[in-house]
Amino acid sequence: REYGHFSLRLEVQDAVGQLARAELPLMVAPSRIEVDVDNLVVAQQGAPYSGRITASGGEPPYRFVALGLPSGLVLDEDTGEIGGVPDEYGTIQGDLWVEDAWGQRPQWRLEFVVLPRPVGFEGAGLPEGRVGEPFSGQVQASGGAEPLHYTATGLPEGLAIDPASGELAGVP
């Protein structure tokens, strides 16, 4: 199918032979731009991410512009590639525009999901305890979505864990 600027030469004649002519411009725009964001998979905070927005229709080349991407991610305006390391987690909403050579510039709403860093334990372990003497030891965790909640099983009688801080304390 053809699009562009056309100059039409029109004629009309009535039943008694009168004739009229006119030249009229006609503009036919390319098809609407469509965007595919289905391959933008869920990202994880602190982990390298790579995804791509693709466009079709319109008149290539395309220029991609996004506002509101998760902090740490950038969009290549020529290729639609999104890359980087997100440093925040959550469901982040932003706006996407794709402009084609014809000047079409539709806008879409993006929803980007970034999961928190994996939760895990840090450190070398706990100090040695002695029966009948006060004990205090701290377990440290990082990642995940705060607040963290600590639990422990298999503790010797007399010790307990603080669910908010991860501190093990008591007299075994």
Side-chain angles (χ1 to χ4, degrees):
R1 302 230 161 143
E2 196 173 1
Y3 59 89
H5 296 278
F6 301 88
S7 180
L8 305 179
R9 290 182 198 95
L10 304 170
E11 289 184 4
V12 63
Q13 187 172 12
D14 70 4
V16 293
Q18 297 183 82
L19 183 65
R21 291 188 175 108
E23 287 195 25
L24 295 175
L26 174 65
M27 186 200 61
V28 176
S31 62
R32 296 184 191 282
I33 299 172
E34 298 294 327
V35 170
D36 182 5
V37 294
D38 290 340
N39 59 356
L40 294 180
V41 296
V42 172
Q44 186 161 46
Q45 179 186 20
Y49 177 83
S50 179
R52 185 174 190 167
I53 298 168
T54 57
S56 60
E59 173 67 19
Y62 305 109
R63 185 172 149 260
F64 299 85
V65 177
L67 294 176
L69 284 178
S71 177
L73 295 183
V74 294
L75 170 68
D76 183 307
E77 69 177 28
D78 295 323
T79 65
E81 292 281 342
I82 296 176
V85 179
D87 54 17
E88 61 181 316
Y89 69 89
T91 300
I92 295 107
Q93 295 187 343
D95 293 302
L96 169 71
W97 292 268
V98 179
E99 185 172 7
D100 70 357
W102 190 260
Q104 297 185 93
R105 194 172 195 236
Q107 177 181 352
W108 291 269
R109 192 82 174 136
L110 276 180
E111 187 170 278
F112 218 96
V113 177
V114 180
L115 299 176
R117 284 181 172 86
V119 66
F121 285 98
E122 302 177 340
L126 294 168
E128 185 176 304
R130 189 171 303 275
V131 172
E133 294 181 12
F135 175 85
S136 178
Q138 182 73 43
V139 291
Q140 294 287 325
S142 66
E146 293 187 357
L148 300 178
H149 180 82
Y150 295 86
T151 60
T153 59
L155 290 173
E157 187 177 321
L159 290 184
I161 189 166
D162 182 313
S165 71
E167 180 184 16
L168 287 164
V171 179

